[in-house]
Amino acid sequence: MPQRTGRITGKSRRGKPAGRAKLSDVAARAGVSAVTVSRALRKPEMVSDDVRRRIDAAVRELGYVPNYLASALASSRSHIIGVVVPSLTNGVFVEYLKALHDAFLPKGFQVLVLNSRYSQAEEERAIATLIGHHAEAMIVAGIDQTERARKLLEGCGVPVVQTMEIAEKPIDINIGMSQRGAGYAATRFLLDLGHRKVAHIAARVDFRARRRMEGYQKAMADAGLDSEGMVIANLQQSSVKRGAELFTEMLDKVPGLQAVFCCNDDLALGALFECQRRGIKVPEDLSIIGFNDLDFCASSYPALSSVAIPRYEMARLAAEIVLEIIRGSGARPKQPRIDLGFEIVTRGSTVKRGRAGGARTVRARALAK
């Protein structure tokens, strides 16, 4: 009768999964103590090369995954950075999330990203979930948290960074730019080109979009122009198709339209396509400017003018500050609010009335608060 060898396999005697491998399983397979395995996983340099190779082989064979939550409870270090963004499909957040991964992954952290779907209630739940996972820092896109979400962040005991815009009362650290100021600057730019019938279209009107709209309205008022009836906005998802639809509605509403400030670049591209479909020449007949300066703006024809915000830089700086606090000197920035400003990138879709346009970049900071 064959003897049992004590070999650990991935299945039970009935062929069902045997359950998650434990630290003791790895120790038994490698022929060392559980303490040695724990030490090798946390600080590999503390064990010999031979022992480390045996432990690594056992980990691979058994599919062992450390219980990071238990480790976090014991050491107050989860190696998790909690991040909340309003969308995982919006191109605005591609560079933002890339910057966070570029900064944190080489330092041994995992970036745990949750999607609030432009909902304050979803954002509140996401924040609570990440705090429950013992994230070592919280980075959120936006400043308009619910009262409960703010209390959760204020009491979580880790660095909190609000990004994408400037807050009057930051929870902890705030890195962004003035959305209202950028909306003002984009509108002022069109007015300075000699346009007077300047409209504004917006979709997915969240807090940031509303502030851009407020900037547009203030710029029009400062120029002595009435913006009544010159704004079309809805709560539906922003898209190129939506841009064409909203622009069509605006054309029917405002005869002699000279320029349009679009809340997002996809809306601007939709407006551009609709102009081409109708034989409206851009920029000779009408100027268009978008917002965010996504990659396709430079590739469209004519290339789209847009307001560029430093998304990658915001996230990169947030990561640098967090790393300095939790793994470096512990020092915090001298100023809790850091305004990175914005740029108006002018291309072929905007032109001074009566003249041919050329591409140039105009640097701008917040012109309206």
Side-chain angles (χ1 to χ4, degrees):
M1 182 175 178
Q3 295 181 341
R4 296 185 183 277
T5 62
R7 174 181 172 81
I8 301 172
T9 65
K11 292 186 178 181
S12 69
R13 294 175 64 183
R14 293 189 179 183
K16 295 181 180 179
R20 177 173 172 173
K22 297 178 289 187
L23 190 73
S24 58
D25 298 331
V26 176
R29 175 62 63 86
V32 297
S33 69
V35 171
T36 300
V37 174
S38 179
R39 184 181 298 121
L41 294 176
R42 288 184 295 106
K43 297 183 178 180
E45 69 279 3
M46 294 184 66
V47 301
S48 68
D49 291 344
D50 176 61
V51 169
R52 188 166 62 249
R53 281 194 294 269
R54 283 154 48 197
I55 291 173
D56 288 345
V59 167
R60 287 194 301 272
E61 291 171 12
L62 297 173
Y64 173 72
V65 177
N67 188 335
Y68 290 113
L69 183 56
S71 299
L73 290 171
S75 66
S76 300
R77 289 189 174 185
S78 65
H79 302 283
I80 291 174
I81 302 298
V83 177
V84 183
V85 295
S87 172
L88 296 177
T89 58
N90 190 331
V92 170
F93 296 101
V94 173
E95 289 181 64
Y96 179 90
L97 292 175
K98 181 180 185 302
L100 294 177
H101 284 86
D102 287 349
F104 285 118
L105 265 59
K107 300 297 183 180
F109 290 87
Q110 288 297 322
V111 180
L112 183 52
V113 182
L114 295 185
N115 177 11
S116 69
R117 300 187 298 179
Y118 293 94
S119 163
Q120 283 186 295
E122 290 284 348
E123 182 185 53
E124 184 181 296
R125 284 191 283 272
I127 288 169
T129 297
L130 291 170
I131 292 174
H133 279 75
H134 297 268
E136 294 193 50
M138 295 288 296
I139 300 175
V140 294
I143 61 173
D144 297 286
Q145 287 74 40
T146 64
E147 183 178 351
R148 178 172 180 265
R150 284 187 67 91
K151 287 181 178 178
L152 287 171
L153 291 170
E154 288 168 350
C156 67
V158 300
V160 175
V161 188
Q162 294 166 290
T163 62
M164 300 302 288
E165 53 187 315
I166 293 299
E168 290 185 11
K169 295 180 179 180
I171 292 171
D172 185 5
I173 300 160
N174 180 208
I175 304 171
M177 39 73 67
S178 171
Q179 297 282 342
R180 189 177 290 107
Y184 185 99
T187 309
R188 185 72 255 176
F189 167 73
L190 293 174
L191 294 172
D192 288 345
L193 290 176
H195 305 298
R196 285 299 172 266
K197 282 197 173 183
V198 179
H200 179 62
I201 63 175
R204 180 76 83 180
V205 184
D206 60 358
F207 290 102
R208 286 183 288 278
R210 289 175 196 169
R211 292 185 181 106
R212 293 171 205 165
M213 188 186 303
E214 289 168 2
Y216 158 82
Q217 291 168 332
K218 187 175 190 309
M220 293 290 282
D222 287 353
L225 299 172
D226 187 5
S227 61
E228 185 71 28
M230 302 292 285
V231 175
I232 291 181
N234 63 41
L235 298 175
Q236 297 177 349
Q237 183 174 343
S238 181
S239 67
V240 174
K241 179 182 178 183
R242 191 81 60 223
E245 293 170 349
L246 293 175
F247 179 70
T248 296
E249 187 178 342
M250 182 62 72
L251 282 178
D252 294 339
K253 207 175 163 186
V254 183
L257 186 65
Q258 297 172 343
V260 59
F261 165 38
C262 300
C263 184
N264 290 309
D265 289 331
D266 50 2
L267 298 179
L269 187 61
L272 176 62
F273 285 164
E274 185 62 22
C275 283
Q276 293 169 346
R277 192 179 74 81
R278 290 169 174 261
I280 299 172
K281 294 181 180 179
V282 176
E284 293 87 351
D285 299 334
L286 182 134
S287 286
I288 300 173
I289 188 169
F291 199 99
N292 288 314
D293 196 34
L294 297 179
D295 288 344
F296 63 75
C297 288
S299 302
S300 65
Y301 185 79
L304 282 167
S305 297
S306 187
V307 180
I309 62 174
R311 300 179 295 276
Y312 188 95
E313 180 65 16
M314 283 182 201
R316 183 195 63 78
L317 184 56
E320 287 182 358
I321 290 173
V322 164
L323 287 170
E324 187 63 29
I325 294 172
I326 66 177
R327 291 292 188 272
S329 66
R332 290 172 170 269
K334 293 180 180 179
Q335 298 295 329
R337 294 198 309 170
I338 302 172
D339 186 349
L340 295 182
F342 53 85
E343 294 180 358
I344 296 181
V345 182
T346 71
R347 301 188 179 96
S349 69
T350 53
V351 68
K352 194 172 185 65
R353 289 196 66 74
R355 294 174 56 183
R360 61 191 178 94
T361 297
V362 180
R363 293 188 175 275
R365 278 200 173 267
L367 301 181
K369 299 293 184 183

